[in-house]
Structures are given as C-alpha cells and as structure tokens.
Amino acid sequence: MVRRAKKLGAWARRAVVLAGLAIASVAQAANGPPDTATVNGSVQTRFDPVTRQTWVTGRAAPDLCFSLSLPDEWRRTDDGVKALLSDGELSINLRSSQELRDMPQPDLATRDAAVLQEDYEQLLGRPAQSVSLSSDAGATRWSATWVDASLPAASHAMTIETLIVPLSSEWVLELSLSGIETQEAYNGLARHLLARLKVQGRAACRS
C-alpha cells in the first residue's frame, strides 16, 4: 500500500553529494521532503545468487507496478532498499498527478521537479544556488545545489539529486541514490537501474 511520508528532516538520505562533499557525513540525516508517498509497503526484493542481481518490485496502483534490478544484494528498508555490502541506498517514492495539478510546467516530470525544488527550499530555508534538469534514459534527472559555509566540505556545497520517471499519466516515480562513493559509481548505478526499469500493467502485478 502507498503510505504518506510524514518525516521532514529526511533530505539527506535522498542526497547525492557532488564536487567533493563527503557523502557519508550527510547520509546520516533523515528521509525526504514532505508531500511524497512512499511505496515501501509494496516493495519486494529478490536476490538471484547466480546473476548476483537483486530484483526490486513495487506497486503504484492495483493495475500499475514497476520492477528494476540492482547489482549485488540489496534489502528492503523503510524508505526503499539498501545494499548489503556497501553504504548504498535507494529511496523509492511516488507522487500523484493530483498533487502536481497546480504546477504550470508542461508535463508530470518537470512539475514533479518543480515541487521537489519547492520542498527542499522550504526545508532548507533558502533557494538553491543552481538547478539542473536533464534527460537520462527515459527519466528526468533533477539536481539542485546549495552552498553554505556550515557544510562539512572544502567547497561548502551540497547537491541533492533525484531521478524522476513517469509511470503513467497519474503517477511519477522518484528514485534517489545515496551513499555511493564516487560520482562515476553513482552514474553507473543510475544507468544500470534505469536500463532495467520496467512498468507493468495489471496482469503482471502481484498481490
């Protein structure tokens, strides 16, 4: 079942720290911005020891499911899945078109990006210094950077990033990786999961 996320201090678990910021030091804070729905209740994981892949499945609606795979073994958490052999985490969230209906952007993905931007700016109490939107294997990659002298890095910068995948005209999926050691490893893992992401209809949805 879809469950509403009520925790507000969760931005860092969805954060990827770029340009020299220590990922591990930030990943200890809480979950995600308000007004998203988690799919943790429906998420299931299945590790295949032969292929060394973990299959992740989830449900957005009774007739709308998705699946993806990740290398090595991952296990379900309250917010998504976590790698067994590393600090890697994948936060999995949904947002409905109803929540995005008042946004002026032309499609669900860019509306979702705008709402994410508002959520984080409200949570952090300041606008981002830079924002980027790009396309990546059928997803929209939203990232925003904040610069603050109190941040624990030489650059005093933090970038938060989310992959936004439209599942239907009613739902978008938000995928946020954290705990990845390098930008190269992050990009490789993002490409891996997006290449294997499948959207399925009622016949393929398991109860």
Side-chain angles (χ1 to χ4, degrees), residues 5 17 32-33 37 39 41-42 46 49 68 78 91 98 105 117 124-125 134 148 150-151 158 167 182 192:
V17 183
V39 292
S42 70
R46 179 177 60 83
L68 56 89
D78 287 343
S91 174
Q98 290 300 307
Q105 287 73 17
Q117 185 75 28
L124 298 175
S134 61
D148 190 288
S150 65
L151 288 170
M158 180 183 72
L167 295 179
T182 66
H192 179 101

Side-chain angles (χ1 to χ4, degrees), residues 1-5 36-42 59-61 94 171:
M1 297 293 293
V2 173
R3 181 173 64 88
R4 301 291 299 177
T36 59
T38 65
V39 292
N40 65 300
S42 70
R59 183 189 302 272
L94 290 167
W171 292 99

Side-chain angles (χ1 to χ4, degrees), residues 159-181:
T159 297
I160 297 174
E161 185 165 291
T162 297
L163 300 169
I164 303 168
V165 183
L167 295 179
S168 70
S169 61
E170 300 296 326
W171 292 99
V172 292
L173 180 68
E174 298 173 354
L175 301 172
S176 303
L177 288 163
S178 64
I180 312 303
E181 291 184 357

Side-chain angles (χ1 to χ4, degrees), residues 97-139:
S97 61
Q98 290 300 307
E99 295 178 63
L100 305 171
R101 65 184 182 275
D102 295 330
M103 303 304 292
Q105 287 73 17
D107 57 74
L108 283 181
T110 53
R111 289 177 206 162
D112 189 63
V115 170
L116 279 170
Q117 185 75 28
E118 290 182 358
D119 285 347
Y120 281 110
E121 289 185 346
Q122 181 178 8
L123 187 63
L124 298 175
R126 67 189 65 192
Q129 276 78 7
S130 66
V131 181
S132 172
L133 276 179
S134 61
S135 297
D136 191 341

